[in-house]
Coordinates of all heavy atoms in Angstrom, one line a residue:
M1 N 21.1 34.6 1.3 CA 21.7 33.4 1.9 C 21.3 33.5 3.4 O 21.5 34.5 4.0 CB 23.2 33.3 1.7 CG 23.8 32.2 2.5 SD 25.4 31.6 2.0 CE 26.5 32.8 2.4
Y2 N 20.8 32.4 3.9 CA 20.5 32.3 5.4 C 21.7 31.8 6.1 O 22.4 30.9 5.8 CB 19.4 31.3 5.6 CG 19.1 31.0 7.0 CD1 18.3 31.9 7.8 CD2 19.5 29.9 7.7 CE1 18.1 31.7 9.1 CE2 19.3 29.7 9.0 CZ 18.5 30.6 9.7 OH 18.3 30.4 11.0
T3 N 22.0 32.6 7.2 CA 23.1 32.2 8.1 C 22.5 32.0 9.5 O 21.6 32.7 9.9 CB 24.2 33.2 8.2 OG1 23.6 34.5 8.6 CG2 24.9 33.4 6.9
K4 N 23.0 31.0 10.1 CA 22.5 30.6 11.5 C 23.0 31.7 12.5 O 24.1 32.1 12.4 CB 23.0 29.3 11.8 CG 22.4 28.6 13.0 CD 22.9 27.2 13.1 CE 22.4 26.5 14.3 NZ 22.9 25.2 14.5
P5 N 22.1 32.2 13.3 CA 22.5 33.2 14.3 C 23.5 32.6 15.3 O 23.4 31.5 15.7 CB 21.2 33.7 15.0 CG 20.2 32.6 14.7 CD 20.7 31.9 13.5
F6 N 24.4 33.4 15.8 CA 25.4 33.0 16.8 C 24.8 33.2 18.2 O 24.3 34.3 18.5 CB 26.7 33.9 16.7 CG 27.7 33.5 17.8 CD1 28.4 32.4 17.7 CD2 27.8 34.4 18.8 CE1 29.3 32.1 18.7 CE2 28.7 34.0 19.8 CZ 29.5 32.9 19.7
L7 N 24.7 32.1 18.9 CA 24.2 32.2 20.3 C 25.3 31.8 21.2 O 26.0 30.8 21.0 CB 23.0 31.2 20.4 CG 21.8 31.5 19.5 CD1 20.8 30.4 19.7 CD2 21.2 32.8 19.8
L8 N 25.4 32.5 22.3 CA 26.3 32.1 23.4 C 25.8 30.9 24.1 O 24.6 30.8 24.4 CB 26.5 33.3 24.4 CG 27.1 34.6 23.8 CD1 27.1 35.7 24.9 CD2 28.5 34.3 23.4
P9 N 26.7 30.0 24.5 CA 26.3 28.8 25.2 C 25.8 29.2 26.6 O 26.3 30.0 27.3 CB 27.5 27.9 25.3 CG 28.7 28.9 25.0 CD 28.1 30.0 24.2
L10 N 24.7 28.6 27.0 CA 24.2 28.8 28.3 C 24.9 27.9 29.3 O 25.4 26.8 29.0 CB 22.7 28.5 28.3 CG 21.8 29.4 27.4 CD1 20.4 28.9 27.5 CD2 21.9 30.8 27.9
A11 N 24.9 28.4 30.6 CA 25.5 27.5 31.6 C 24.6 26.3 31.8 O 23.4 26.3 31.7 CB 25.5 28.3 32.9
R12 N 25.2 25.2 32.1 CA 24.5 24.0 32.4 C 23.6 24.2 33.6 O 24.0 24.8 34.6 CB 25.5 22.9 32.6 CG 26.2 22.4 31.4 CD 26.8 21.1 31.9 NE 27.7 20.4 31.1 CZ 28.8 19.8 31.6 NH1 29.1 19.9 32.9 NH2 29.6 19.1 30.9
A13 N 22.5 23.5 33.6 CA 21.5 23.6 34.7 C 22.2 23.1 36.0 O 22.0 23.6 37.0 CB 20.3 22.8 34.4
S14 N 23.0 22.0 35.9 CA 23.6 21.5 37.1 C 24.6 22.5 37.7 O 24.8 22.6 38.9 CB 24.3 20.2 36.7 OG 25.4 20.4 35.8
T15 N 25.3 23.2 36.8 CA 26.3 24.2 37.3 C 25.5 25.3 38.0 O 25.9 25.8 39.1 CB 27.1 24.8 36.1 OG1 27.8 23.8 35.5 CG2 28.1 25.9 36.6
V16 N 24.4 25.8 37.4 CA 23.6 26.8 38.1 C 23.1 26.4 39.4 O 23.1 27.1 40.4 CB 22.5 27.3 37.1 CG1 21.6 28.3 37.8 CG2 23.1 27.9 35.9
R17 N 22.6 25.1 39.4 CA 22.0 24.6 40.7 C 23.1 24.5 41.7 O 22.9 24.8 42.9 CB 21.4 23.2 40.5 CG 20.0 23.2 39.9 CD 19.3 21.9 40.0 NE 20.0 20.9 39.3 CZ 19.9 20.6 38.0 NH1 19.0 21.2 37.3 NH2 20.6 19.6 37.5
S18 N 24.3 24.0 41.4 CA 25.4 23.9 42.3 C 25.8 25.3 42.8 O 26.1 25.5 44.0 CB 26.6 23.3 41.6 OG 26.3 21.9 41.3
F19 N 25.9 26.3 41.9 CA 26.3 27.6 42.3 C 25.2 28.2 43.3 O 25.5 28.8 44.3 CB 26.4 28.5 41.1 CG 26.7 29.9 41.4 CD1 27.9 30.3 41.9 CD2 25.7 30.9 41.2 CE1 28.1 31.7 42.2 CE2 26.0 32.2 41.4 CZ 27.2 32.6 42.0
T20 N 23.9 28.0 43.0 CA 22.9 28.4 43.8 C 22.9 27.8 45.2 O 22.7 28.4 46.2 CB 21.5 28.2 43.1 OG1 21.5 28.8 41.9 CG2 20.3 28.7 44.0
S21 N 23.2 26.5 45.2 CA 23.3 25.7 46.5 C 24.4 26.3 47.3 O 24.3 26.4 48.5 CB 23.5 24.2 46.2 OG 22.4 23.7 45.5
T22 N 25.5 26.6 46.7 CA 26.7 27.1 47.4 C 26.4 28.5 48.0 O 26.7 28.7 49.2 CB 27.9 27.3 46.5 OG1 28.2 26.0 45.9 CG2 29.1 27.8 47.2
L23 N 25.7 29.3 47.3 CA 25.3 30.6 47.8 C 24.3 30.5 48.9 O 24.3 31.3 49.9 CB 24.8 31.5 46.7 CG 25.8 32.0 45.7 CD1 25.2 32.9 44.6 CD2 27.0 32.7 46.4
I24 N 23.4 29.6 48.8 CA 22.4 29.4 49.9 C 23.1 28.9 51.2 O 22.8 29.4 52.2 CB 21.3 28.3 49.4 CG1 20.4 29.0 48.4 CG2 20.5 27.9 50.6 CD1 19.5 28.0 47.7
V25 N 24.0 28.0 51.0 CA 24.8 27.5 52.2 C 25.5 28.7 52.8 O 25.5 28.9 54.1 CB 25.7 26.4 51.9 CG1 26.7 26.1 53.0 CG2 24.9 25.2 51.5
L26 N 26.2 29.5 52.0 CA 26.9 30.7 52.5 C 26.0 31.7 53.2 O 26.3 32.1 54.3 CB 27.6 31.4 51.4 CG 28.4 32.7 51.7 CD1 29.5 32.3 52.7 CD2 29.0 33.3 50.5
A27 N 24.8 31.9 52.6 CA 23.8 32.8 53.3 C 23.3 32.2 54.6 O 23.2 33.0 55.6 CB 22.6 33.0 52.3
L28 N 23.1 30.9 54.7 CA 22.7 30.3 56.0 C 23.8 30.5 57.0 O 23.5 30.7 58.2 CB 22.3 28.9 55.8 CG 21.0 28.6 55.0 CD1 20.9 27.1 54.7 CD2 19.9 29.2 55.7
V29 N 25.0 30.2 56.7 CA 26.1 30.4 57.6 C 26.2 31.8 58.1 O 26.3 32.0 59.3 CB 27.5 30.0 57.0 CG1 28.7 30.4 57.8 CG2 27.5 28.5 56.7
V30 N 26.1 32.8 57.2 CA 26.1 34.2 57.7 C 24.9 34.5 58.5 O 25.0 35.2 59.5 CB 26.2 35.1 56.4 CG1 26.0 36.5 56.8 CG2 27.5 34.9 55.7
A31 N 23.7 34.0 58.2 CA 22.5 34.3 58.9 C 22.6 33.7 60.4 O 22.2 34.3 61.3 CB 21.3 33.7 58.2
V32 N 23.3 32.6 60.5 CA 23.5 32.0 61.8 C 24.5 32.8 62.6 O 24.4 33.0 63.8 CB 23.9 30.5 61.7 CG1 24.3 29.9 63.1 CG2 22.7 29.7 61.2
A33 N 25.6 33.2 62.0 CA 26.7 33.9 62.7 C 26.3 35.3 63.0 O 26.8 35.9 63.9 CB 27.9 33.8 61.8
L34 N 25.5 36.0 62.2 CA 25.2 37.4 62.3 C 24.7 37.8 63.7 O 25.1 38.8 64.3 CB 24.3 37.9 61.2 CG 24.1 39.4 61.1 CD1 25.4 40.0 60.8 CD2 23.1 39.7 59.9
P35 N 23.7 37.1 64.3 CA 23.2 37.4 65.6 C 24.3 37.4 66.7 O 24.4 38.2 67.6 CB 22.1 36.4 65.9 CG 21.7 35.9 64.6 CD 22.9 36.0 63.7
H36 N 25.3 36.5 66.5 CA 26.4 36.4 67.5 C 27.3 37.6 67.3 O 27.9 38.1 68.3 CB 27.1 35.1 67.3 CG 26.3 33.9 67.6 ND1 25.8 33.5 68.8 CD2 25.7 33.0 66.7 CE1 25.0 32.5 68.7 NE2 25.0 32.1 67.4
V37 N 27.5 38.0 66.1 CA 28.4 39.1 65.8 C 27.7 40.4 66.3 O 28.4 41.2 66.9 CB 28.7 39.3 64.3 CG1 29.4 40.6 64.0 CG2 29.5 38.1 63.8
R38 N 26.4 40.5 66.1 CA 25.7 41.7 66.6 C 25.7 41.8 68.1 O 25.7 42.9 68.7 CB 24.3 41.7 66.1 CG 24.2 42.1 64.7 CD 22.7 42.3 64.3 NE 22.6 42.8 62.9 CZ 21.5 42.9 62.3 NH1 20.4 42.5 62.9 NH2 21.5 43.3 61.0
G39 N 25.7 40.6 68.8 CA 25.7 40.6 70.2 C 27.0 41.2 70.9 O 27.1 41.5 72.0
Q40 N 28.0 41.3 70.1 CA 29.3 41.8 70.6 C 29.4 43.3 70.2 O 30.3 43.7 69.4 CB 30.5 41.0 69.9 CG 30.4 39.6 70.3 CD 31.5 38.8 69.6 OE1 32.3 39.3 68.8 NE2 31.6 37.5 69.8
A41 N 28.6 44.1 70.7 CA 28.5 45.5 70.4 C 29.8 46.3 70.6 O 30.1 47.2 69.9 CB 27.3 46.2 71.1
A42 N 30.5 45.9 71.6 CA 31.8 46.6 71.9 C 32.9 46.1 71.1 O 34.0 46.8 71.1 CB 32.1 46.4 73.4
A43 N 32.8 45.1 70.4 CA 33.9 44.5 69.5 C 34.1 45.4 68.3 O 33.2 46.0 67.8 CB 33.5 43.1 69.1
A44 N 35.3 45.4 67.9 CA 35.7 46.2 66.6 C 35.1 45.4 65.4 O 35.0 44.2 65.5 CB 37.2 46.3 66.6
P45 N 34.8 46.1 64.3 CA 34.4 45.5 63.1 C 35.4 44.5 62.6 O 36.6 44.7 62.8 CB 34.2 46.6 62.1 CG 34.2 47.8 62.9 CD 34.9 47.6 64.2
G46 N 34.9 43.4 62.1 CA 35.8 42.3 61.6 C 35.7 42.2 60.0 O 35.1 43.0 59.4
T47 N 36.3 41.2 59.5 CA 36.4 40.9 58.1 C 36.0 39.4 57.9 O 36.5 38.5 58.6 CB 37.8 41.2 57.5 OG1 38.1 42.5 57.8 CG2 37.8 40.9 56.1
I48 N 35.2 39.2 56.8 CA 34.9 37.8 56.4 C 35.6 37.6 55.1 O 35.4 38.5 54.1 CB 33.4 37.6 56.3 CG1 32.7 37.8 57.6 CG2 33.1 36.2 55.7 CD1 31.2 37.7 57.5
T49 N 36.4 36.6 54.9 CA 37.0 36.2 53.6 C 36.6 34.8 53.3 O 36.4 34.0 54.2 CB 38.5 36.4 53.7 OG1 39.0 35.5 54.7 CG2 38.9 37.8 53.9
G50 N 36.6 34.5 52.0 CA 36.4 33.1 51.6 C 36.5 32.9 50.2 O 36.9 33.8 49.4
N51 N 36.1 31.7 49.7 CA 36.1 31.3 48.3 C 34.7 30.9 47.9 O 33.9 30.3 48.8 CB 37.0 30.2 48.0 CG 38.4 30.5 48.3 OD1 38.9 31.6 48.0 ND2 39.1 29.6 49.0
V52 N 34.3 31.1 46.7 CA 33.0 30.6 46.2 C 33.4 29.6 45.0 O 34.2 29.9 44.1 CB 32.1 31.7 45.6 CG1 30.9 31.1 45.0 CG2 31.8 32.6 46.7
S53 N 32.9 28.4 45.1 CA 33.3 27.4 44.1 C 32.0 26.6 43.7 O 31.0 26.5 44.4 CB 34.3 26.4 44.7 OG 33.8 25.7 45.8
N54 N 32.2 25.9 42.6 CA 31.1 25.0 42.1 C 31.2 23.7 42.8 O 32.3 23.1 42.8 CB 31.4 24.8 40.6 CG 30.3 23.9 39.9 OD1 30.0 22.9 40.5 ND2 29.9 24.3 38.8
V55 N 30.2 23.3 43.4 CA 30.2 22.1 44.3 C 30.5 20.9 43.4 O 31.3 20.0 43.9 CB 28.8 21.9 45.0 CG1 28.8 20.6 45.7 CG2 28.6 23.0 45.9
A56 N 30.0 20.8 42.2 CA 30.2 19.6 41.4 C 31.6 19.5 40.9 O 32.2 18.4 40.8 CB 29.2 19.6 40.2
T57 N 32.2 20.6 40.4 CA 33.5 20.5 39.8 C 34.6 21.0 40.7 O 35.8 20.7 40.4 CB 33.6 21.4 38.5 OG1 33.4 22.8 38.9 CG2 32.5 21.0 37.5
G58 N 34.3 21.8 41.7 CA 35.4 22.4 42.6 C 36.0 23.6 42.0 O 36.9 24.2 42.6
N59 N 35.6 24.0 40.8 CA 36.1 25.2 40.2 C 35.7 26.5 40.9 O 34.6 26.6 41.3 CB 35.6 25.3 38.7 CG 36.1 24.2 37.8 OD1 37.1 23.6 38.1 ND2 35.5 24.0 36.7
L60 N 36.7 27.4 41.1 CA 36.4 28.6 41.8 C 35.7 29.5 40.8 O 35.9 29.5 39.6 CB 37.7 29.2 42.3 CG 38.4 28.4 43.4 CD1 39.7 29.0 43.7 CD2 37.6 28.3 44.6
L61 N 34.7 30.3 41.3 CA 33.8 31.1 40.5 C 34.2 32.6 40.6 O 34.2 33.2 41.7 CB 32.4 30.9 40.9 CG 31.9 29.5 40.7 CD1 30.5 29.3 41.3 CD2 31.9 29.0 39.3
E62 N 34.4 33.2 39.5 CA 34.7 34.6 39.4 C 33.5 35.4 39.2 O 32.5 35.0 38.5 CB 35.7 34.9 38.2 CG 36.0 36.3 37.9 CD 36.9 36.5 36.7 OE1 37.2 35.6 36.0 OE2 37.2 37.7 36.4
G63 N 33.3 36.5 39.9 CA 32.2 37.4 39.7 C 30.9 37.1 40.5 O 29.9 37.7 40.2
A64 N 31.0 36.1 41.4 CA 29.9 35.8 42.3 C 29.7 36.9 43.3 O 30.6 37.5 43.7 CB 30.1 34.5 43.0
T65 N 28.4 37.2 43.6 CA 28.1 38.3 44.5 C 27.8 37.7 45.9 O 27.0 36.7 46.0 CB 26.9 39.1 44.0 OG1 27.1 39.6 42.8 CG2 26.5 40.2 45.0
I66 N 28.4 38.2 46.9 CA 28.2 37.8 48.3 C 27.6 39.0 49.0 O 28.2 40.1 48.9 CB 29.5 37.3 49.0 CG1 30.0 36.1 48.4 CG2 29.2 37.1 50.5 CD1 30.8 36.3 47.1
E67 N 26.4 38.9 49.6 CA 25.7 40.0 50.2 C 25.4 39.7 51.7 O 25.0 38.6 52.0 CB 24.5 40.3 49.5 CG 24.7 40.8 48.1 CD 23.4 41.2 47.3 OE1 22.4 40.5 47.6 OE2 23.5 42.1 46.5
L68 N 25.4 40.8 52.5 CA 24.9 40.8 53.8 C 23.9 42.0 53.8 O 24.2 43.1 54.3 CB 26.0 41.0 54.9 CG 27.0 39.9 55.1 CD1 28.0 40.3 56.0 CD2 26.2 38.6 55.5
P69 N 22.7 41.7 53.4 CA 21.7 42.8 53.2 C 21.4 43.5 54.5 O 21.2 44.7 54.6 CB 20.5 42.2 52.6 CG 20.7 40.8 52.5 CD 22.1 40.5 52.9
Q70 N 21.4 42.8 55.7 CA 21.1 43.4 57.0 C 22.1 44.5 57.3 O 21.8 45.4 58.0 CB 21.1 42.3 58.1 CG 20.1 41.3 57.9 CD 20.6 40.1 57.1 OE1 21.6 40.2 56.4 NE2 19.8 39.0 57.1
L71 N 23.4 44.3 56.8 CA 24.4 45.3 57.1 C 24.7 46.2 55.9 O 25.5 47.1 56.0 CB 25.7 44.6 57.5 CG 25.6 43.7 58.7 CD1 27.0 43.0 59.0 CD2 25.2 44.5 59.9
G72 N 24.0 46.0 54.8 CA 24.2 46.8 53.6 C 25.6 46.6 53.0 O 26.2 47.4 52.4
L73 N 26.1 45.4 53.1 CA 27.5 45.0 52.6 C 27.4 44.0 51.5 O 26.5 43.2 51.5 CB 28.3 44.4 53.7 CG 28.7 45.3 54.9 CD1 29.4 44.5 56.0 CD2 29.4 46.5 54.5
S74 N 28.2 44.2 50.5 CA 28.3 43.2 49.4 C 29.7 43.1 48.9 O 30.5 44.1 49.0 CB 27.3 43.5 48.3 OG 27.7 44.7 47.7
A75 N 30.1 42.0 48.2 CA 31.4 41.9 47.6 C 31.2 41.0 46.4 O 30.3 40.2 46.3 CB 32.4 41.3 48.6
L76 N 32.2 41.1 45.5 CA 32.3 40.2 44.3 C 33.5 39.4 44.4 O 34.5 39.8 45.0 CB 32.4 41.0 43.0 CG 31.1 41.8 42.5 CD1 31.5 42.6 41.3 CD2 30.0 40.8 42.2
T77 N 33.4 38.1 44.0 CA 34.6 37.3 44.0 C 35.6 37.8 42.9 O 35.1 38.3 41.8 CB 34.3 35.8 43.8 OG1 33.6 35.7 42.5 CG2 33.5 35.3 44.9
D78 N 36.9 37.7 43.1 CA 37.9 38.1 42.2 C 38.1 36.9 41.2 O 37.4 35.9 41.2 CB 39.2 38.5 42.8 CG 39.8 37.4 43.6 OD1 39.5 36.2 43.4 OD2 40.7 37.7 44.4
N79 N 39.1 37.1 40.3 CA 39.4 36.0 39.3 C 39.9 34.7 39.9 O 40.0 33.7 39.2 CB 40.4 36.6 38.3 CG 41.7 36.9 38.9 OD1 41.9 37.1 40.1 ND2 42.7 37.0 38.1
T80 N 40.1 34.7 41.2 CA 40.5 33.4 41.8 C 39.4 32.9 42.7 O 39.6 31.9 43.4 CB 41.8 33.6 42.7 OG1 41.5 34.5 43.8 CG2 42.9 34.1 41.9
G81 N 38.2 33.5 42.7 CA 37.0 33.0 43.4 C 37.0 33.5 44.9 O 36.1 33.1 45.6
R82 N 38.0 34.4 45.2 CA 38.0 34.9 46.6 C 37.2 36.1 46.8 O 37.1 36.9 45.9 CB 39.5 35.1 47.0 CG 40.3 33.8 47.1 CD 41.6 34.0 47.8 NE 41.6 34.7 49.1 CZ 41.3 34.1 50.3 NH1 40.9 32.9 50.3 NH2 41.3 34.8 51.4
F83 N 36.7 36.4 48.0 CA 36.0 37.6 48.4 C 36.4 38.0 49.7 O 36.9 37.2 50.6 CB 34.5 37.4 48.3 CG 34.0 36.5 49.4 CD1 33.5 37.1 50.6 CD2 33.9 35.2 49.2 CE1 33.0 36.3 51.6 CE2 33.4 34.3 50.2 CZ 33.0 34.9 51.4
T84 N 36.2 39.3 50.0 CA 36.5 39.9 51.4 C 35.3 40.8 51.7 O 35.0 41.7 50.9 CB 37.8 40.7 51.4 OG1 38.9 39.8 51.1 CG2 38.0 41.3 52.8
L85 N 34.7 40.7 52.8 CA 33.7 41.6 53.3 C 34.3 42.2 54.6 O 34.5 41.6 55.6 CB 32.4 40.8 53.7 CG 31.5 40.5 52.5 CD1 30.4 39.5 53.0 CD2 30.8 41.7 52.0
A86 N 34.5 43.5 54.5 CA 35.1 44.3 55.6 C 34.0 45.0 56.4 O 33.0 45.3 55.8 CB 36.2 45.2 55.1
G87 N 34.3 45.3 57.6 CA 33.3 46.1 58.4 C 32.2 45.3 59.0 O 31.1 45.8 59.3
V88 N 32.4 44.0 59.2 CA 31.3 43.1 59.7 C 31.3 43.1 61.2 O 32.4 43.0 61.8 CB 31.4 41.7 59.1 CG1 30.3 40.8 59.7 CG2 31.4 41.8 57.6

């Protein structure tokens, strides 16, 4: 007897595009802010906190990766879509 294989549903293309757009905007904000942060050599390290959400639905996203490769820092969003990057 033939049984149809079970396949997990894929994320909608619009959700993936929205998520990608959100991460690109976040990366641009960090890229613009990073030179200003580096210019304050005497300043103590700070912390960046925020939320990652789907632009189309407003739903907060769990497990998204936020990275600052220039500083070797990364964080994952928690189950509420929040993240914290310390030592910036």
Side-chain angles (χ1 to χ4, degrees):
M1 170 160 72
Y2 174 77
T3 58
K4 195 173 176 181
F6 176 75
L7 299 175
L8 293 174
L10 296 175
R12 287 193 190 141
S14 62
T15 302
V16 173
R17 279 193 301 271
S18 294
F19 177 68
T20 303
S21 297
T22 301
L23 289 181
I24 289 171
V25 169
L26 178 62
L28 290 172
V29 168
V30 170
V32 169
L34 191 59
H36 300 291
V37 171
R38 283 189 178 172
Q40 299 174 359
T47 302
I48 297 175
T49 59
N51 296 318
V52 178
S53 64
N54 181 316
V55 173
T57 65
N59 294 339
L60 296 174
L61 300 174
E62 177 180 0
T65 302
I66 294 81
E67 295 182 326
L68 292 176
Q70 299 88 344
L71 299 178
L73 298 174
S74 66
L76 289 175
T77 57
D78 63 15
N79 62 342
T80 65
R82 292 192 51 78
F83 70 91
T84 301
L85 282 167
V88 179

